[in-house]
Short mmCIF file of all heavy atoms in Angstrom, two decimals:
data_model
loop_
_atom_site.label_atom_id
_atom_site.label_comp_id
_atom_site.label_asym_id
_atom_site.label_seq_id
_atom_site.Cartn_x
_atom_site.Cartn_y
_atom_site.Cartn_z
N PHE A 795 -18.60 9.16 17.36
CA PHE A 795 -17.51 10.03 16.76
C PHE A 795 -17.56 9.86 15.28
O PHE A 795 -17.20 10.82 14.68
CB PHE A 795 -16.14 9.57 17.32
CG PHE A 795 -15.96 9.70 18.86
CD1 PHE A 795 -15.77 8.63 19.60
CD2 PHE A 795 -15.91 10.97 19.36
CE1 PHE A 795 -15.66 8.84 20.91
CE2 PHE A 795 -15.71 11.25 20.68
CZ PHE A 795 -15.69 10.06 21.51
N ALA A 796 -17.85 8.64 14.70
CA ALA A 796 -17.98 8.50 13.26
C ALA A 796 -19.28 7.83 12.87
O ALA A 796 -19.71 7.02 13.68
CB ALA A 796 -16.83 7.55 12.78
N GLU A 797 -20.02 8.36 11.87
CA GLU A 797 -21.17 7.91 11.61
C GLU A 797 -21.21 6.61 10.97
O GLU A 797 -22.05 5.60 11.18
CB GLU A 797 -21.83 8.94 10.56
CG GLU A 797 -22.21 10.28 11.11
CD GLU A 797 -22.40 11.27 9.96
OE1 GLU A 797 -23.05 10.78 8.98
OE2 GLU A 797 -22.08 12.45 10.22
N GLU A 798 -20.12 6.34 10.13
CA GLU A 798 -20.00 4.97 9.47
C GLU A 798 -18.41 4.79 9.50
O GLU A 798 -17.63 5.66 9.49
CB GLU A 798 -20.43 5.05 7.93
CG GLU A 798 -21.94 5.24 7.92
CD GLU A 798 -22.34 5.21 6.41
OE1 GLU A 798 -22.22 4.36 5.76
OE2 GLU A 798 -22.92 6.27 6.10
N VAL A 799 -18.06 3.37 9.44
CA VAL A 799 -16.69 3.01 9.55
C VAL A 799 -16.34 1.93 8.38
O VAL A 799 -17.45 1.20 7.96
CB VAL A 799 -16.31 2.47 10.92
CG1 VAL A 799 -16.49 3.57 11.93
CG2 VAL A 799 -17.21 1.31 11.29
N TYR A 800 -15.22 1.75 8.15
CA TYR A 800 -14.81 0.80 7.05
C TYR A 800 -13.43 0.20 7.57
O TYR A 800 -12.46 0.86 7.79
CB TYR A 800 -14.61 1.39 5.73
CG TYR A 800 -14.13 0.39 4.71
CD1 TYR A 800 -15.09 -0.46 4.15
CD2 TYR A 800 -12.80 0.45 4.17
CE1 TYR A 800 -14.63 -1.32 3.08
CE2 TYR A 800 -12.39 -0.47 3.18
CZ TYR A 800 -13.35 -1.35 2.67
OH TYR A 800 -12.98 -2.18 1.66
N CYS A 801 -13.37 -1.18 7.69
CA CYS A 801 -12.23 -1.92 8.11
C CYS A 801 -11.43 -2.31 6.87
O CYS A 801 -11.96 -3.21 6.07
CB CYS A 801 -12.64 -3.17 8.92
SG CYS A 801 -11.18 -3.75 9.82
N LEU A 802 -10.25 -1.86 6.75
CA LEU A 802 -9.41 -2.20 5.60
C LEU A 802 -8.89 -3.62 5.81
O LEU A 802 -8.46 -4.03 6.96
CB LEU A 802 -8.26 -1.28 5.59
CG LEU A 802 -8.30 -0.01 4.79
CD1 LEU A 802 -6.92 0.83 5.06
CD2 LEU A 802 -8.71 -0.21 3.45
N PRO A 803 -8.87 -4.41 4.86
CA PRO A 803 -8.20 -5.79 4.93
C PRO A 803 -6.78 -5.64 5.16
O PRO A 803 -6.10 -4.70 4.53
CB PRO A 803 -8.46 -6.44 3.44
CG PRO A 803 -9.64 -5.49 2.99
CD PRO A 803 -9.50 -4.19 3.52
N VAL A 804 -6.14 -6.47 6.04
CA VAL A 804 -4.74 -6.33 6.30
C VAL A 804 -3.93 -7.03 5.17
O VAL A 804 -4.20 -8.20 4.99
CB VAL A 804 -4.55 -6.85 7.70
CG1 VAL A 804 -2.99 -6.86 7.98
CG2 VAL A 804 -5.27 -6.13 8.82
N SER A 805 -2.97 -6.35 4.56
CA SER A 805 -2.15 -6.93 3.59
C SER A 805 -1.02 -7.78 4.22
O SER A 805 -0.69 -7.56 5.34
CB SER A 805 -1.43 -5.93 2.72
OG SER A 805 -2.52 -5.02 2.10
N ASP A 806 -0.57 -8.73 3.46
CA ASP A 806 0.55 -9.62 3.82
C ASP A 806 1.81 -8.92 3.82
O ASP A 806 2.23 -8.34 2.75
CB ASP A 806 0.62 -10.86 2.91
CG ASP A 806 1.73 -11.83 3.36
OD1 ASP A 806 2.46 -11.48 4.42
OD2 ASP A 806 1.69 -12.84 2.73
N LYS A 807 2.47 -8.62 5.07
CA LYS A 807 3.62 -7.85 5.04
C LYS A 807 4.78 -8.44 4.35
O LYS A 807 5.70 -7.70 3.92
CB LYS A 807 3.91 -7.47 6.53
CG LYS A 807 3.06 -6.54 7.23
CD LYS A 807 3.39 -6.27 8.75
CE LYS A 807 2.54 -5.39 9.39
NZ LYS A 807 2.94 -5.03 10.78
N ASN A 808 4.79 -9.78 4.20
CA ASN A 808 5.92 -10.50 3.41
C ASN A 808 5.66 -10.32 1.93
O ASN A 808 6.61 -10.69 1.23
CB ASN A 808 5.92 -11.87 3.95
CG ASN A 808 6.20 -11.96 5.44
OD1 ASN A 808 7.06 -11.23 5.91
ND2 ASN A 808 5.61 -12.86 6.20
N GLU A 809 4.46 -10.01 1.53
CA GLU A 809 4.32 -9.95 0.05
C GLU A 809 4.95 -8.61 -0.49
O GLU A 809 4.56 -7.50 -0.19
CB GLU A 809 2.82 -9.97 -0.29
CG GLU A 809 2.42 -9.93 -1.78
CD GLU A 809 0.94 -9.77 -1.94
OE1 GLU A 809 0.16 -9.82 -0.90
OE2 GLU A 809 0.53 -9.63 -3.26
N LYS A 810 5.91 -8.89 -1.40
CA LYS A 810 6.56 -7.74 -1.96
C LYS A 810 5.79 -7.28 -3.28
O LYS A 810 5.55 -8.04 -3.98
CB LYS A 810 8.04 -8.02 -2.27
CG LYS A 810 8.77 -8.34 -1.01
CD LYS A 810 10.40 -8.54 -1.26
CE LYS A 810 11.21 -8.67 -0.05
NZ LYS A 810 12.52 -8.79 -0.32
N LYS A 811 5.58 -5.96 -3.29
CA LYS A 811 4.93 -5.36 -4.42
C LYS A 811 5.75 -4.28 -5.11
O LYS A 811 6.60 -3.63 -4.44
CB LYS A 811 3.55 -4.79 -3.94
CG LYS A 811 2.65 -5.77 -3.43
CD LYS A 811 1.38 -5.02 -2.97
CE LYS A 811 0.33 -5.94 -2.34
NZ LYS A 811 -0.85 -5.24 -1.91
N THR A 812 5.66 -4.20 -6.46
CA THR A 812 6.32 -3.10 -7.14
C THR A 812 5.64 -1.75 -6.76
O THR A 812 4.52 -1.76 -6.33
CB THR A 812 6.28 -3.42 -8.61
OG1 THR A 812 5.01 -3.19 -9.14
CG2 THR A 812 6.80 -4.73 -8.98
N THR A 813 6.30 -0.75 -7.04
CA THR A 813 5.70 0.64 -6.91
C THR A 813 4.30 0.63 -7.57
O THR A 813 3.28 1.22 -7.05
CB THR A 813 6.66 1.70 -7.39
OG1 THR A 813 7.76 1.60 -6.57
CG2 THR A 813 5.89 3.13 -7.18
N GLU A 814 4.29 0.21 -8.80
CA GLU A 814 3.05 0.21 -9.57
C GLU A 814 1.93 -0.50 -8.96
O GLU A 814 0.70 -0.14 -8.93
CB GLU A 814 3.34 -0.25 -11.13
CG GLU A 814 4.01 0.70 -11.96
CD GLU A 814 3.29 2.06 -12.16
OE1 GLU A 814 1.98 2.03 -12.32
OE2 GLU A 814 3.99 3.14 -12.09
N GLU A 815 2.39 -1.68 -8.46
CA GLU A 815 1.36 -2.58 -7.78
C GLU A 815 0.81 -1.85 -6.46
O GLU A 815 -0.31 -1.94 -6.27
CB GLU A 815 1.94 -3.88 -7.47
CG GLU A 815 2.14 -4.77 -8.71
CD GLU A 815 3.05 -6.02 -8.33
OE1 GLU A 815 3.82 -6.08 -7.28
OE2 GLU A 815 2.98 -7.04 -9.15
N GLN A 816 1.70 -1.27 -5.79
CA GLN A 816 1.44 -0.57 -4.60
C GLN A 816 0.20 0.59 -4.77
O GLN A 816 -0.75 0.61 -4.13
CB GLN A 816 2.57 0.00 -3.82
CG GLN A 816 3.44 -0.93 -3.15
CD GLN A 816 4.60 -0.11 -2.52
OE1 GLN A 816 4.56 0.99 -2.16
NE2 GLN A 816 5.74 -0.92 -2.47
N LEU A 817 0.60 1.35 -5.85
CA LEU A 817 -0.29 2.50 -6.19
C LEU A 817 -1.57 2.01 -6.69
O LEU A 817 -2.65 2.64 -6.50
CB LEU A 817 0.41 3.44 -7.18
CG LEU A 817 1.66 4.18 -6.62
CD1 LEU A 817 2.23 4.97 -7.69
CD2 LEU A 817 1.31 5.01 -5.42
N ARG A 818 -1.51 0.91 -7.49
CA ARG A 818 -2.73 0.38 -8.06
C ARG A 818 -3.66 -0.21 -6.90
O ARG A 818 -4.92 0.03 -6.83
CB ARG A 818 -2.43 -0.74 -9.09
CG ARG A 818 -3.77 -1.31 -9.84
CD ARG A 818 -3.47 -2.22 -11.00
NE ARG A 818 -2.69 -3.34 -10.55
CZ ARG A 818 -1.42 -3.69 -10.76
NH1 ARG A 818 -0.77 -2.70 -11.55
NH2 ARG A 818 -0.89 -4.79 -10.40
N HIS A 819 -2.98 -0.85 -5.96
CA HIS A 819 -3.62 -1.47 -4.94
C HIS A 819 -4.43 -0.36 -3.99
O HIS A 819 -5.53 -0.52 -3.56
CB HIS A 819 -2.83 -2.16 -4.00
CG HIS A 819 -3.59 -2.95 -2.76
ND1 HIS A 819 -3.53 -2.40 -1.53
CD2 HIS A 819 -4.15 -4.16 -2.77
CE1 HIS A 819 -4.27 -3.05 -0.82
NE2 HIS A 819 -4.55 -4.24 -1.38
N ALA A 820 -3.72 0.84 -3.88
CA ALA A 820 -4.26 1.93 -2.98
C ALA A 820 -5.45 2.49 -3.75
O ALA A 820 -6.46 2.75 -3.09
CB ALA A 820 -3.05 2.93 -2.72
N LYS A 821 -5.34 2.63 -5.06
CA LYS A 821 -6.57 3.06 -5.79
C LYS A 821 -7.68 2.23 -5.74
O LYS A 821 -8.91 2.61 -5.49
CB LYS A 821 -6.14 3.38 -7.29
CG LYS A 821 -7.18 4.09 -8.03
CD LYS A 821 -6.80 4.29 -9.36
CE LYS A 821 -7.89 4.96 -10.28
NZ LYS A 821 -7.41 5.27 -11.71
N GLU A 822 -7.48 0.95 -5.81
CA GLU A 822 -8.62 -0.07 -5.73
C GLU A 822 -9.19 -0.08 -4.37
O GLU A 822 -10.43 -0.17 -4.15
CB GLU A 822 -7.99 -1.51 -6.12
CG GLU A 822 -7.66 -1.68 -7.54
CD GLU A 822 -6.89 -2.79 -7.89
OE1 GLU A 822 -6.58 -3.67 -6.91
OE2 GLU A 822 -6.55 -3.17 -9.16
N ALA A 823 -8.32 -0.12 -3.22
CA ALA A 823 -8.82 -0.04 -1.87
C ALA A 823 -9.64 1.18 -1.59
O ALA A 823 -10.69 1.16 -1.00
CB ALA A 823 -7.57 -0.19 -1.00
N ALA A 824 -9.20 2.36 -2.30
CA ALA A 824 -9.91 3.60 -2.06
C ALA A 824 -11.33 3.55 -2.66
O ALA A 824 -12.28 3.92 -2.06
CB ALA A 824 -9.19 4.74 -2.59
N GLY A 825 -11.32 2.88 -3.79
CA GLY A 825 -12.66 2.75 -4.53
C GLY A 825 -13.53 1.92 -3.79
O GLY A 825 -14.75 2.21 -3.68
N MET A 826 -13.12 0.84 -3.10
CA MET A 826 -13.94 -0.10 -2.32
C MET A 826 -14.48 0.66 -1.11
O MET A 826 -15.57 0.39 -0.67
CB MET A 826 -13.19 -1.42 -1.89
CG MET A 826 -12.92 -2.30 -3.03
SD MET A 826 -12.27 -3.93 -2.56
CE MET A 826 -10.49 -3.33 -2.06
N ALA A 827 -13.61 1.43 -0.47
CA ALA A 827 -13.96 2.18 0.66
C ALA A 827 -15.03 3.32 0.40
O ALA A 827 -16.05 3.30 1.04
CB ALA A 827 -12.81 2.93 1.45
N LEU A 828 -14.93 3.98 -0.82
CA LEU A 828 -15.84 5.01 -1.24
C LEU A 828 -17.17 4.27 -1.50
O LEU A 828 -18.28 4.76 -1.21
CB LEU A 828 -15.41 5.76 -2.28
CG LEU A 828 -14.27 6.72 -2.04
CD1 LEU A 828 -13.88 7.38 -3.46
CD2 LEU A 828 -14.62 7.69 -0.99
#
């Protein structure tokens, strides 16, 4: 079904992040996936 796959590291649900931190983390995670 998929040629290649990528497993995202699971974040700590108890770790509270600011909005800026969330958006920065999403950009970094996207970069690693690409």
Side-chain angles (χ1 to χ4, degrees):
F795 296 112
E797 296 166 36
E798 295 178 65
V799 297
Y800 179 76
C801 191
L802 277 176
V804 180
S805 300
D806 183 356
K807 292 183 179 180
N808 296 319
E809 182 185 355
K810 293 188 177 180
K811 297 177 182 175
T812 65
T813 298
E814 286 298 320
E815 288 172 336
Q816 288 178 25
L817 294 176
R818 184 171 65 251
H819 182 267
K821 183 177 181 180
E822 292 170 353
M826 288 189 288
L828 290 179

